[in-house]
Amino acid sequence: MSSLFSGHILIRNNSDQDELDTEVELSHRLDNRLVLLFFGAGSCPQCQAFAPVLRDFFVRLTDEFYVLRAAQLALVYVSQDPTEEQQDLFLRDMPKKWLFLPFEDDLRRDLGRRFSVQRLPAVVVLKPGGDVLTRDATDEIQRLGPTCFANWLEAAEVLDRSFLQPEDLDDPAPRSLTEPLRRRKYRVDPAAPGTRGSREGGGPGAGWGGCSDPGGGDSGMTHPRRRRRVRGAVLTPGFPLILRTKSNS
C-alpha cells in the first residue's frame, strides 16, 4: 500500500505535523491495513456535514479509549481545498492519526482522477495490496458506522497482527456465516484451491508474510499439522484419535 505514496510525503495531523518521508515510515503506517482515501474540502457543505461522522467512525476504531487494540486502519485526507488555509482549517478538529498530503503536492489531484472521484465527499477503501474494495463508502459509513469495518476487513483478508489462520486445512471453512455474502458484495474472488493465503514469489511461509509456522512450538517436528484437544482426546488431523481414559485405580 505504501507504494501508492512512494516518493511523496505524508504528514500526520498532530501539533508537530510529523512528516513521513521515508519508505520505512510509510510502510509502518500503511502496510497490512485498510486505507481510506478521504476526498473532501472545507468549502463543501456536504463535506462539513460528513466530517464529524467520519471522525467518530475513525476514532471509535483506532482510539484505545474505545477499543482494546487499534484497528488496522489508516486514513489519508486528499484535500480538494482551493487554498492551504482552508485545508488547515478543515483538519484542525480532525483526529491526530489522520494523514494528509502537502497542499503543494499534485498527487492530490492525480488520485482523484486515478480513482474516478466524481463528487465530494468521497471515501475510497483500499485493500492492503492497493486494490479498490469500494469506490465510495460515504453512505455505508453513515448507515452502519464502525460495523462496516468488519465487513471490509473480512472481504479484504487483512492479515491479523495477533492471529494467523491454520495452514493445515486444504479447504478451510468460512470465518463466519456471512463471509460468502461479503465476498460477493465486495466482489472479492476466492483463491484457487490449495492457494489460500499465497503470495507472489511462493516459498516457505510466503502465505504468512514471510513467517514460518505460527505454532512455532515443536521445533523437532517437520509435520506442519497441529494437535487439537477435543473433550479429553488428542486429535491430530490425518491421524487416528487417541483417547485418554481415566484409570479406575
Side-chain angles (χ1 to χ4, degrees), residues 219-239:
S219 57
M221 295 181 64
T222 58
H223 203 289
R225 295 174 175 171
R226 301 183 188 82
R227 293 184 176 182
R228 294 176 290 175
R229 296 188 179 275
V230 181
R231 293 186 179 179
V234 176
L235 177 60
T236 303
F239 293 95

Side-chain angles (χ1 to χ4, degrees), residues 2 8 24 32-33 41 83 94 107 120 142 159 182 212 215 221 239:
S2 58
H8 297 267
V24 173
N32 193 38
R33 298 171 187 260
T83 67
M94 296 299 112
L107 185 61
L120 299 179
Q142 291 181 94
L159 188 65
R182 289 171 179 163
S212 58
M221 295 181 64
F239 293 95

Side-chain angles (χ1 to χ4, degrees), residues 18 28 55 61 77 91 117 168 175 219-220 241:
D18 300 322
H28 176 69
R55 177 181 58 206
L61 287 168
Y77 176 58
L91 286 170
V117 174
D168 58 344
R175 283 175 283 178
S219 57
L241 181 66

